[in-house]
Amino acid sequence: GKAPFYALNVEDLKKKIFNDEPDFSSKTDMDPRIKELILGCLEKDPEKRLDLEVIMFNDWLTKEGEEPLENDFGDEDFFGDDEAMR
């Protein structure tokens, strides 16, 4: 893979992260679920950006729920009522 943004220096990289959308045009065989996940994580608007709870229950990451991610946060109820997300 490659990074979603590339620049020759930090200032240009910051500008791209804040202003540009990632380019997936060369990834014609990309699973649409991972593309949606990446775009959700890189959403510019923090109110619309995916949060950790949504990411941890993502179908692509968990193989449709068959391989749930481990809760390594030391608190079984880290997200509150996690049944609502399943």
Side-chain angles (χ1 to χ4, degrees), residues 22-82:
D23 178 17
F24 293 109
S25 61
S26 65
K27 301 291 184 192
T28 57
D29 61 340
M30 177 182 257
D31 186 317
R33 297 171 303 162
I34 187 61
K35 181 178 177 181
E36 182 180 322
L37 176 63
I38 293 169
L39 290 173
C41 291
L42 296 175
E43 169 62 48
K44 308 293 185 212
D45 182 347
E47 296 296 319
K48 295 179 183 176
R49 190 176 306 134
L50 296 182
D51 60 25
L52 182 58
E53 183 174 8
V54 172
I55 294 166
M56 285 195 60
F57 289 100
N58 176 273
D59 283 342
W60 186 84
L61 286 176
T62 63
K63 297 187 179 179
E64 306 296 330
E66 294 294 317
E67 296 181 19
L69 298 177
E70 299 269 335
N71 175 350
D72 291 333
F73 300 106
D75 180 0
E76 287 190 31
D77 196 25
F78 182 80
F79 296 118
D81 181 18
D82 65 350

Side-chain angles (χ1 to χ4, degrees), residues 3-17 20:
F5 303 101
Y6 175 78
L8 295 176
N9 60 61
V10 173
E11 282 304 311
D12 287 345
L13 181 60
K14 286 180 186 179
K15 287 177 187 175
K16 287 183 179 213
I17 291 170
D20 297 351

